[in-house]
Coordinates of all heavy atoms in Angstrom, one line a residue:
M39 N 3.8 -38.8 -30.4 CA 2.4 -38.3 -30.6 C 1.7 -39.2 -31.7 O 2.4 -39.7 -32.6 CB 2.5 -36.8 -31.1 CG 1.2 -36.2 -31.4 SD 1.3 -34.5 -31.9 CE -0.2 -33.9 -31.2
A40 N 0.5 -39.3 -31.5 CA -0.4 -40.1 -32.4 C -1.8 -39.8 -32.1 O -2.1 -39.0 -31.2 CB -0.1 -41.6 -32.2
L41 N -2.7 -40.3 -32.9 CA -4.2 -40.2 -32.7 C -4.7 -41.5 -32.4 O -4.2 -42.6 -32.9 CB -4.9 -39.6 -33.9 CG -4.5 -38.2 -34.3 CD1 -5.2 -37.8 -35.5 CD2 -4.8 -37.2 -33.1
Q42 N -5.8 -41.6 -31.6 CA -6.4 -42.8 -31.3 C -7.9 -42.7 -31.7 O -8.6 -41.7 -31.3 CB -6.3 -43.2 -29.8 CG -6.7 -44.6 -29.4 CD -6.2 -44.9 -28.0 OE1 -6.3 -44.1 -27.1 NE2 -5.8 -46.1 -27.8
K43 N -8.3 -43.7 -32.4 CA -9.7 -43.7 -32.8 C -10.1 -45.1 -33.3 O -9.3 -45.8 -34.0 CB -10.0 -42.7 -34.0 CG -11.4 -42.7 -34.5 CD -11.6 -41.6 -35.5 CE -12.8 -41.7 -36.2 NZ -14.0 -41.4 -35.6
T44 N -11.2 -45.6 -33.0 CA -11.7 -46.9 -33.5 C -12.1 -46.7 -35.0 O -12.8 -45.7 -35.3 CB -13.0 -47.4 -32.7 OG1 -12.5 -47.6 -31.4 CG2 -13.6 -48.6 -33.3
V45 N -11.7 -47.6 -35.8 CA -12.0 -47.5 -37.3 C -12.4 -48.9 -37.8 O -12.1 -49.9 -37.2 CB -10.8 -47.0 -38.1 CG1 -10.4 -45.7 -37.7 CG2 -9.6 -48.0 -37.9
I46 N -13.1 -48.9 -38.9 CA -13.5 -50.1 -39.6 C -12.8 -50.0 -40.9 O -12.9 -49.1 -41.7 CB -15.0 -50.2 -39.8 CG1 -15.7 -50.2 -38.4 CG2 -15.4 -51.4 -40.6 CD1 -17.2 -50.2 -38.5
T47 N -12.0 -51.0 -41.2 CA -11.2 -51.1 -42.4 C -12.1 -51.4 -43.6 O -13.2 -51.9 -43.4 CB -10.1 -52.2 -42.3 OG1 -10.7 -53.5 -42.3 CG2 -9.2 -52.0 -41.1
P48 N -11.6 -51.1 -44.8 CA -12.4 -51.5 -46.0 C -12.7 -53.0 -46.1 O -13.7 -53.4 -46.7 CB -11.5 -51.1 -47.2 CG -10.6 -50.0 -46.6 CD -10.4 -50.4 -45.2
Q49 N -11.9 -53.8 -45.4 CA -12.2 -55.3 -45.4 C -13.2 -55.7 -44.3 O -13.5 -56.8 -44.1 CB -10.9 -56.0 -45.1 CG -9.8 -55.8 -46.2 CD -9.1 -54.5 -46.0 OE1 -9.1 -53.8 -45.0 NE2 -8.4 -54.1 -47.1
G50 N -13.7 -54.7 -43.5 CA -14.7 -54.9 -42.5 C -14.1 -55.3 -41.1 O -14.9 -55.6 -40.2
F51 N -12.9 -55.1 -40.9 CA -12.2 -55.4 -39.6 C -12.4 -54.1 -38.7 O -12.1 -53.0 -39.1 CB -10.7 -55.7 -39.8 CG -9.9 -55.7 -38.6 CD1 -10.0 -56.7 -37.7 CD2 -9.0 -54.7 -38.4 CE1 -9.2 -56.7 -36.5 CE2 -8.2 -54.6 -37.2 CZ -8.4 -55.7 -36.3
T52 N -12.9 -54.3 -37.5 CA -13.0 -53.2 -36.6 C -11.7 -53.2 -35.7 O -11.4 -54.1 -35.0 CB -14.2 -53.3 -35.7 OG1 -15.4 -53.3 -36.5 CG2 -14.3 -52.2 -34.7
A53 N -11.0 -52.0 -35.7 CA -9.8 -51.8 -34.9 C -10.2 -50.9 -33.8 O -10.3 -49.7 -34.0 CB -8.7 -51.3 -35.8
T54 N -10.5 -51.4 -32.6 CA -10.9 -50.6 -31.5 C -9.7 -49.8 -31.0 O -8.6 -50.4 -30.7 CB -11.4 -51.5 -30.4 OG1 -12.5 -52.3 -30.9 CG2 -12.0 -50.7 -29.2
N55 N -9.9 -48.5 -30.8 CA -8.9 -47.6 -30.3 C -7.5 -47.8 -31.1 O -6.5 -47.8 -30.5 CB -8.6 -47.9 -28.8 CG -9.8 -47.5 -28.0 OD1 -10.4 -46.5 -28.3 ND2 -10.0 -48.2 -26.9
A56 N -7.7 -47.8 -32.4 CA -6.5 -47.9 -33.2 C -5.6 -46.7 -33.0 O -6.0 -45.7 -32.7 CB -6.9 -48.1 -34.7
Y57 N -4.3 -46.9 -33.3 CA -3.3 -45.9 -33.1 C -2.8 -45.4 -34.5 O -2.4 -46.3 -35.4 CB -2.1 -46.7 -32.4 CG -0.9 -45.9 -32.0 CD1 -0.9 -45.2 -30.8 CD2 0.2 -45.9 -32.8 CE1 0.2 -44.6 -30.4 CE2 1.3 -45.2 -32.4 CZ 1.3 -44.5 -31.2 OH 2.5 -43.9 -30.8
H58 N -3.0 -44.2 -34.8 CA -2.7 -43.6 -36.1 C -1.6 -42.6 -36.0 O -1.6 -41.6 -35.3 CB -4.0 -42.9 -36.6 CG -5.2 -43.7 -36.6 ND1 -5.5 -44.6 -37.5 CD2 -6.2 -43.8 -35.6 CE1 -6.6 -45.2 -37.2 NE2 -7.1 -44.7 -36.0
R59 N -0.5 -42.9 -36.7 CA 0.8 -42.2 -36.5 C 1.2 -41.6 -37.8 O 1.3 -42.2 -38.9 CB 1.8 -43.2 -36.1 CG 3.1 -42.7 -35.7 CD 3.9 -43.8 -35.1 NE 5.3 -43.5 -35.0 CZ 6.1 -44.1 -34.3 NH1 5.8 -45.2 -33.6 NH2 7.4 -43.8 -34.2
V60 N 1.6 -40.3 -37.7 CA 2.1 -39.5 -38.9 C 3.6 -39.8 -39.0 O 4.4 -39.8 -38.1 CB 1.9 -38.0 -38.7 CG1 2.7 -37.2 -39.7 CG2 0.4 -37.7 -38.7
E61 N 4.0 -40.1 -40.3 CA 5.4 -40.3 -40.5 C 5.7 -39.8 -41.9 O 4.9 -39.4 -42.7 CB 5.8 -41.8 -40.5 CG 5.6 -42.5 -39.2 CD 6.0 -43.9 -39.1 OE1 6.9 -44.3 -39.9 OE2 5.5 -44.6 -38.3
A62 N 7.0 -39.7 -42.2 CA 7.5 -39.3 -43.5 C 6.9 -38.0 -44.1 O 6.4 -37.9 -45.1 CB 7.3 -40.4 -44.6
I63 N 7.1 -36.9 -43.2 CA 6.6 -35.6 -43.6 C 7.6 -35.1 -44.7 O 8.8 -35.1 -44.6 CB 6.6 -34.7 -42.4 CG1 5.5 -35.2 -41.4 CG2 6.2 -33.2 -42.9 CD1 5.5 -34.4 -40.2
R64 N 7.0 -34.5 -45.8 CA 7.7 -33.9 -46.9 C 7.2 -32.5 -47.0 O 6.0 -32.3 -47.3 CB 7.6 -34.7 -48.1 CG 8.2 -36.1 -48.0 CD 7.8 -37.1 -49.0 NE 6.3 -37.4 -49.1 CZ 5.7 -38.2 -48.2 NH1 6.3 -38.7 -47.2 NH2 4.4 -38.5 -48.4
I65 N 8.1 -31.5 -46.9 CA 7.7 -30.1 -47.1 C 7.9 -29.8 -48.6 O 9.0 -30.1 -49.1 CB 8.6 -29.1 -46.3 CG1 8.5 -29.5 -44.8 CG2 8.1 -27.7 -46.5 CD1 7.2 -29.4 -44.1
M66 N 6.9 -29.3 -49.2 CA 7.0 -28.9 -50.6 C 6.9 -27.4 -50.8 O 5.8 -26.8 -50.7 CB 5.9 -29.7 -51.4 CG 6.0 -31.2 -51.3 SD 4.6 -32.1 -52.0 CE 3.3 -31.7 -51.0
G67 N 8.0 -26.8 -51.1 CA 8.1 -25.4 -51.1 C 7.9 -24.8 -49.7 O 8.2 -25.4 -48.7
K68 N 7.2 -23.7 -49.6 CA 7.0 -23.1 -48.3 C 5.5 -23.1 -48.0 O 5.1 -22.4 -47.0 CB 7.6 -21.7 -48.2 CG 9.1 -21.7 -48.2 CD 9.6 -20.4 -48.0 CE 11.2 -20.4 -48.1 NZ 11.7 -19.1 -47.9
I69 N 4.7 -23.8 -48.8 CA 3.2 -23.6 -48.6 C 2.5 -24.9 -48.5 O 1.3 -24.9 -48.2 CB 2.6 -22.8 -49.8 CG1 2.9 -23.5 -51.1 CG2 3.1 -21.4 -49.8 CD1 2.1 -22.9 -52.3
A70 N 3.1 -26.1 -48.7 CA 2.4 -27.3 -48.7 C 3.3 -28.4 -48.1 O 4.5 -28.3 -48.1 CB 2.0 -27.7 -50.1
M71 N 2.6 -29.4 -47.6 CA 3.4 -30.6 -47.1 C 2.5 -31.9 -47.4 O 1.3 -31.8 -47.6 CB 3.7 -30.5 -45.7 CG 2.6 -30.5 -44.7 SD 3.3 -30.3 -43.0 CE 1.8 -30.6 -42.1
Q72 N 3.2 -33.0 -47.4 CA 2.6 -34.3 -47.7 C 3.2 -35.2 -46.6 O 4.3 -35.1 -46.1 CB 3.1 -34.7 -49.0 CG 2.4 -36.0 -49.5 CD 2.8 -36.3 -50.9 OE1 4.0 -36.6 -51.2 NE2 1.9 -36.2 -51.9
F73 N 2.3 -36.1 -46.1 CA 2.8 -37.1 -45.1 C 2.0 -38.4 -45.2 O 0.9 -38.4 -45.8 CB 2.6 -36.4 -43.7 CG 1.2 -35.9 -43.4 CD1 0.3 -36.7 -42.7 CD2 0.9 -34.7 -43.7 CE1 -0.9 -36.3 -42.4 CE2 -0.4 -34.2 -43.4 CZ -1.3 -35.0 -42.8
N74 N 2.6 -39.4 -44.6 CA 1.9 -40.7 -44.5 C 1.3 -40.8 -43.1 O 1.9 -40.4 -42.1 CB 2.9 -41.8 -44.8 CG 3.4 -41.8 -46.2 OD1 4.2 -40.9 -46.5 ND2 3.1 -42.7 -47.0
V75 N 0.2 -41.6 -43.0 CA -0.3 -42.0 -41.7 C -0.4 -43.6 -41.7 O -0.9 -44.1 -42.7 CB -1.7 -41.4 -41.5 CG1 -2.4 -42.0 -40.3 CG2 -1.7 -39.9 -41.4
Y76 N 0.2 -44.2 -40.7 CA 0.1 -45.6 -40.6 C -0.8 -45.9 -39.4 O -0.7 -45.3 -38.3 CB 1.5 -46.1 -40.3 CG 2.4 -45.9 -41.5 CD1 3.3 -44.8 -41.5 CD2 2.5 -46.8 -42.6 CE1 4.1 -44.6 -42.6 CE2 3.3 -46.6 -43.7 CZ 4.1 -45.4 -43.6 OH 4.9 -45.2 -44.7
S77 N -1.7 -46.8 -39.6 CA -2.7 -47.2 -38.6 C -2.3 -48.6 -38.0 O -2.1 -49.5 -38.8 CB -4.1 -47.3 -39.1 OG -4.5 -46.0 -39.5
H78 N -2.2 -48.7 -36.7 CA -1.8 -49.9 -36.0 C -2.9 -50.3 -35.0 O -3.7 -49.5 -34.5 CB -0.5 -49.6 -35.2 CG 0.6 -49.0 -36.0 ND1 1.5 -49.8 -36.6 CD2 0.9 -47.7 -36.2 CE1 2.4 -49.0 -37.2 NE2 2.0 -47.8 -37.0
I79 N -3.0 -51.6 -34.7 CA -3.9 -52.1 -33.8 C -3.6 -51.5 -32.3 O -4.5 -51.2 -31.6 CB -3.9 -53.6 -33.7 CG1 -4.5 -54.1 -35.1 CG2 -4.7 -54.1 -32.5 CD1 -4.4 -55.6 -35.2
D80 N -2.3 -51.3 -32.0 CA -1.9 -50.7 -30.8 C -0.8 -49.8 -31.1 O -0.5 -49.4 -32.2 CB -1.6 -51.7 -29.7 CG -0.6 -52.7 -30.2 OD1 0.3 -52.4 -31.0 OD2 -0.6 -53.9 -29.7
G81 N 0.0 -49.4 -30.1 CA 1.1 -48.5 -30.3 C 2.3 -49.1 -30.9 O 3.3 -48.4 -31.0
Q82 N 2.3 -50.3 -31.4 CA 3.4 -50.9 -32.0 C 3.7 -50.2 -33.4 O 2.8 -49.7 -34.0 CB 3.3 -52.4 -32.3 CG 3.0 -53.2 -31.0 CD 2.8 -54.6 -31.3 OE1 3.1 -55.1 -32.4 NE2 2.2 -55.3 -30.3
T83 N 5.0 -50.2 -33.7 CA 5.3 -49.6 -35.0 C 5.1 -50.5 -36.2 O 4.9 -50.1 -37.3 CB 6.8 -49.1 -35.1 OG1 7.6 -50.2 -34.7 CG2 7.0 -48.0 -34.0
V84 N 5.2 -51.8 -36.0 CA 4.9 -52.7 -37.1 C 4.1 -53.9 -36.5 O 4.3 -54.2 -35.3 CB 6.2 -53.3 -37.8 CG1 6.8 -52.2 -38.6 CG2 7.2 -53.9 -36.8
P85 N 3.3 -54.6 -37.2 CA 2.8 -54.2 -38.5 C 1.7 -53.2 -38.4 O 1.0 -53.1 -37.4 CB 2.3 -55.6 -39.0 CG 1.8 -56.3 -37.8 CD 2.7 -55.8 -36.7
F86 N 1.5 -52.5 -39.5 CA 0.4 -51.6 -39.6 C -0.7 -52.3 -40.5 O -0.4 -53.1 -41.3 CB 0.8 -50.2 -40.1 CG 1.5 -50.2 -41.5 CD1 0.8 -50.2 -42.6 CD2 2.9 -50.3 -41.5 CE1 1.4 -50.2 -43.9 CE2 3.5 -50.3 -42.8 CZ 2.8 -50.3 -43.9
F87 N -2.0 -51.9 -40.3 CA -3.0 -52.5 -41.1 C -3.5 -51.6 -42.2 O -4.2 -52.0 -43.0 CB -4.2 -53.0 -40.2 CG -5.0 -51.9 -39.5 CD1 -5.9 -51.2 -40.2 CD2 -4.7 -51.6 -38.2 CE1 -6.7 -50.2 -39.5 CE2 -5.4 -50.6 -37.5 CZ -6.4 -49.9 -38.2
A88 N -3.1 -50.3 -42.1 CA -3.5 -49.4 -43.2 C -2.5 -48.3 -43.3 O -1.8 -47.9 -42.3 CB -4.9 -48.8 -42.9
E89 N -2.3 -47.8 -44.5 CA -1.4 -46.7 -44.8 C -2.1 -45.7 -45.7 O -2.9 -46.1 -46.6 CB -0.2 -47.2 -45.6 CG 0.8 -46.1 -46.0 CD 1.9 -46.6 -46.8 OE1 1.9 -47.8 -47.3 OE2 2.8 -45.8 -47.1
Y90 N -2.0 -44.4 -45.3 CA -2.7 -43.3 -46.1 C -1.7 -42.2 -46.4 O -0.7 -42.0 -45.7 CB -3.8 -42.7 -45.2 CG -4.8 -43.7 -44.6 CD1 -4.6 -44.2 -43.3 CD2 -5.9 -44.2 -45.4 CE1 -5.5 -45.2 -42.8 CE2 -6.7 -45.1 -44.8 CZ -6.5 -45.6 -43.5 OH -7.4 -46.5 -43.0
L91 N -2.0 -41.5 -47.5 CA -1.2 -40.4 -47.9 C -2.1 -39.1 -47.9 O -3.2 -39.1 -48.4 CB -0.7 -40.6 -49.3 CG 0.2 -39.5 -49.9 CD1 1.5 -39.3 -49.1 CD2 0.5 -39.8 -51.4
F92 N -1.6 -38.1 -47.3 CA -2.3 -36.8 -47.1 C -1.5 -35.6 -47.6 O -0.2 -35.7 -47.4 CB -2.8 -36.6 -45.7 CG -3.8 -37.6 -45.2 CD1 -3.4 -38.6 -44.5 CD2 -5.1 -37.4 -45.5 CE1 -4.3 -39.6 -44.0 CE2 -6.0 -38.3 -45.0 CZ -5.7 -39.4 -44.3
D93 N -2.1 -34.6 -48.1 CA -1.5 -33.3 -48.4 C -2.3 -32.3 -47.6 O -3.5 -32.4 -47.4 CB -1.7 -33.0 -49.9 CG -1.1 -34.0 -50.8 OD1 0.2 -34.1 -50.7 OD2 -1.7 -34.6 -51.6
C94 N -1.6 -31.2 -47.3 CA -2.2 -30.1 -46.6 C -1.4 -28.9 -46.8 O -0.2 -29.0 -47.2 CB -2.5 -30.4 -45.1 SG -1.1 -30.5 -44.0
A95 N -1.9 -27.7 -46.4 CA -1.2 -26.5 -46.4 C -0.1 -26.6 -45.3 O -0.3 -27.2 -44.3 CB -2.1 -25.3 -46.2
Y96 N 0.9 -25.8 -45.5 CA 2.0 -25.8 -44.5 C 2.2 -24.3 -44.2 O 2.4 -23.5 -45.1 CB 3.3 -26.4 -45.1 CG 4.5 -26.1 -44.2 CD1 4.6 -26.6 -42.9 CD2 5.6 -25.4 -44.7 CE1 5.7 -26.4 -42.2 CE2 6.7 -25.2 -43.9 CZ 6.8 -25.7 -42.6 OH 7.9 -25.5 -41.9
D97 N 2.2 -24.0 -42.9 CA 2.5 -22.6 -42.4 C 3.9 -22.6 -41.9 O 4.1 -23.0 -40.8 CB 1.5 -22.2 -41.4 CG 1.6 -20.8 -40.9 OD1 2.6 -20.1 -41.3 OD2 0.9 -20.4 -40.0
V98 N 4.8 -22.0 -42.6 CA 6.2 -21.9 -42.2 C 6.4 -21.2 -40.9 O 7.3 -21.4 -40.1 CB 7.1 -21.3 -43.3 CG1 6.8 -19.8 -43.5 CG2 8.5 -21.5 -43.1
D99 N 5.4 -20.3 -40.5 CA 5.5 -19.5 -39.3 C 4.7 -20.2 -38.2 O 4.6 -19.7 -37.1 CB 5.0 -18.1 -39.5 CG 6.0 -17.3 -40.4 OD1 7.2 -17.5 -40.3 OD2 5.5 -16.6 -41.3
G100 N 4.0 -21.3 -38.5 CA 3.1 -22.0 -37.6 C 3.9 -23.0 -36.7 O 5.1 -23.0 -36.6
A101 N 3.1 -23.9 -36.1 CA 3.6 -25.0 -35.2 C 4.6 -25.8 -36.1 O 4.6 -25.7 -37.3 CB 2.5 -25.8 -34.7
N102 N 5.3 -26.8 -35.4 CA 6.1 -27.6 -36.2 C 5.3 -28.5 -37.2 O 4.1 -28.7 -37.0 CB 7.0 -28.5 -35.3 CG 6.2 -29.5 -34.5 OD1 5.6 -30.4 -35.1 ND2 6.2 -29.4 -33.2
P103 N 5.9 -29.0 -38.2 CA 5.2 -29.7 -39.3 C 4.4 -31.0 -38.7 O 3.3 -31.2 -39.1 CB 6.3 -30.2 -40.2 CG 7.3 -29.2 -40.1 CD 7.3 -28.8 -38.6
L104 N 5.0 -31.6 -37.7 CA 4.3 -32.8 -37.1 C 3.0 -32.3 -36.5 O 1.9 -32.9 -36.7 CB 5.2 -33.5 -36.1 CG 4.7 -34.8 -35.6 CD1 4.5 -35.8 -36.7 CD2 5.6 -35.3 -34.5
A105 N 3.0 -31.3 -35.7 CA 1.8 -30.8 -35.1 C 0.8 -30.3 -36.1 O -0.4 -30.5 -36.0 CB 2.2 -29.6 -34.1
Q106 N 1.3 -29.7 -37.2 CA 0.4 -29.2 -38.2 C -0.3 -30.4 -38.9 O -1.5 -30.3 -39.3 CB 1.1 -28.4 -39.3 CG 1.5 -27.0 -38.7 CD 2.2 -26.2 -39.8 OE1 1.7 -26.0 -40.9 NE2 3.3 -25.5 -39.5
A107 N 0.4 -31.5 -39.1 CA -0.1 -32.7 -39.7 C -1.2 -33.3 -38.9 O -2.3 -33.6 -39.4 CB 1.0 -33.7 -39.9
Y108 N -1.0 -33.4 -37.6 CA -2.1 -33.9 -36.7 C -3.3 -33.0 -36.6 O -4.4 -33.5 -36.6 CB -1.5 -34.2 -35.3 CG -0.7 -35.5 -35.2 CD1 0.7 -35.5 -35.0 CD2 -1.3 -36.7 -35.4 CE1 1.4 -36.7 -35.0 CE2 -0.6 -37.9 -35.4 CZ 0.8 -37.9 -35.1 OH 1.5 -39.1 -35.1
E109 N -3.0 -31.7 -36.6 CA -4.2 -30.8 -36.6 C -5.0 -30.9 -37.8 O -6.2 -30.8 -37.8 CB -3.7 -29.4 -36.3 CG -3.2 -29.1 -34.9 CD -4.3 -29.4 -33.9 OE1 -5.4 -29.0 -34.0 OE2 -3.9 -30.1 -32.9
H110 N -4.3 -31.1 -39.0 CA -5.0 -31.3 -40.2 C -5.9 -32.6 -40.2 O -7.0 -32.6 -40.6 CB -4.0 -31.3 -41.4 CG -4.7 -31.7 -42.7 ND1 -5.5 -30.8 -43.4 CD2 -4.7 -32.8 -43.4 CE1 -6.0 -31.3 -44.5 NE2 -5.5 -32.6 -44.5
L111 N -5.3 -33.6 -39.7 CA -6.1 -34.9 -39.6 C -7.3 -34.8 -38.9 O -8.4 -35.3 -39.2 CB -5.2 -36.0 -39.0 CG -4.1 -36.5 -39.9 CD1 -3.3 -37.6 -39.1 CD2 -4.5 -37.1 -41.2
K112 N -7.3 -34.0 -37.8 CA -8.4 -33.8 -36.9 C -9.6 -33.1 -37.6 O -10.7 -33.1 -37.2 CB -8.1 -33.1 -35.6 CG -7.2 -33.9 -34.7 CD -6.8 -33.1 -33.5 CE -5.8 -33.8 -32.7 NZ -5.4 -32.9 -31.5
T113 N -9.3 -32.4 -38.7 CA -10.3 -31.7 -39.5 C -11.0 -32.6 -40.5 O -12.0 -32.2 -41.1 CB -9.7 -30.5 -40.2 OG1 -8.9 -30.9 -41.3 CG2 -9.0 -29.5 -39.3
L114 N -10.5 -33.8 -40.7 CA -11.0 -34.7 -41.7 C -12.1 -35.6 -41.1 O -12.0 -36.0 -39.9 CB -9.9 -35.6 -42.3 CG -8.8 -34.8 -42.9 CD1 -7.7 -35.7 -43.4 CD2 -9.3 -33.9 -44.1
P115 N -13.1 -35.9 -41.9 CA -14.2 -36.8 -41.4 C -13.7 -38.1 -40.8 O -14.3 -38.6 -39.8 CB -15.2 -37.0 -42.6 CG -14.8 -35.9 -43.5 CD -13.4 -35.5 -43.3
E116 N -12.8 -38.7 -41.5 CA -12.3 -40.1 -41.0 C -11.6 -40.0 -39.7 O -11.4 -41.1 -39.1 CB -11.5 -40.8 -42.1 CG -10.3 -40.0 -42.6 CD -10.5 -39.2 -43.9 OE1 -11.5 -38.4 -43.9 OE2 -9.7 -39.3 -44.8
F117 N -11.2 -38.9 -39.3 CA -10.5 -38.7 -38.0 C -11.3 -37.9 -37.0 O -10.8 -37.5 -35.9 CB -9.1 -38.2 -38.1 CG -8.1 -39.2 -38.8 CD1 -7.9 -39.1 -40.2 CD2 -7.6 -40.2 -38.1 CE1 -7.1 -40.0 -40.8 CE2 -6.8 -41.2 -38.7 CZ -6.5 -41.0 -40.1
A118 N -12.5 -37.6 -37.3 CA -13.4 -36.8 -36.4 C -13.5 -37.6 -35.1 O -13.7 -38.8 -35.1 CB -14.7 -36.6 -37.0
G119 N -13.3 -36.9 -34.0 CA -13.4 -37.5 -32.7 C -12.2 -38.2 -32.2 O -12.2 -38.8 -31.1
A120 N -11.1 -38.2 -33.0 CA -9.9 -38.9 -32.6 C -9.3 -38.1 -31.4 O -9.4 -36.9 -31.3 CB -8.9 -38.9 -33.7
T121 N -8.6 -38.8 -30.5 CA -8.0 -38.2 -29.4 C -6.5 -38.3 -29.5 O -5.9 -39.3 -30.1 CB -8.4 -38.9 -28.1 OG1 -8.1 -40.3 -28.1 CG2 -9.9 -38.7 -27.8
D122 N -5.8 -37.4 -28.9 CA -4.3 -37.4 -28.9 C -3.8 -38.5 -27.9 O -4.5 -38.7 -26.9 CB -3.7 -36.1 -28.4 CG -4.0 -34.9 -29.4 OD1 -4.1 -35.2 -30.6 OD2 -4.1 -33.8 -28.9
C123 N -2.8 -39.2 -28.3 CA -2.2 -40.1 -27.4 C -0.7 -40.2 -27.6 O -0.1 -39.6 -28.4 CB -2.8 -41.5 -27.6 SG -2.6 -42.3 -29.2

């Protein structure tokens, strides 16, 4: 699972249909989680052109943590309009 969205990097590079992948999920207690997002030009795992760190609420009775992470990303302005891939 990943998200696909065209982005412009802080360096001004346009990555058309970039592949954004959640990795390294850390559950903190029973109410929060933290995870990394790596952005790639395509579906390759390396190299990535950007790495981000996010925090969000974690619902122990909800969907699996990976699904919760992707759902959280879709609520953020920088991932608005991203599609599942």
Side-chain angles (χ1 to χ4, degrees):
M39 181 177 211
L41 295 178
Q42 193 169 36
K43 179 177 168 71
T44 297
V45 295
I46 299 174
T47 68
Q49 297 80 16
F51 168 74
T52 299
T54 304
N55 294 322
Y57 184 86
H58 309 279
R59 186 172 169 166
V60 170
E61 295 186 26
I63 296 173
R64 295 162 301 282
I65 306 297
M66 298 177 293
K68 294 183 180 181
I69 60 169
M71 66 181 187
Q72 187 176 67
F73 56 92
N74 295 71
V75 173
Y76 296 95
S77 297
H78 306 269
I79 292 174
D80 56 27
Q82 299 178 20
T83 56
V84 288
F86 56 87
F87 65 84
E89 175 183 12
Y90 308 95
L91 178 65
F92 292 97
D93 296 299
C94 70
Y96 170 64
D97 180 0
V98 71
D99 296 319
N102 70 61
L104 186 61
Q106 289 185 48
Y108 281 112
E109 287 306 312
H110 174 71
L111 289 177
K112 291 178 190 178
T113 68
L114 303 176
E116 56 264 48
F117 290 100
T121 58
D122 294 330
C123 61

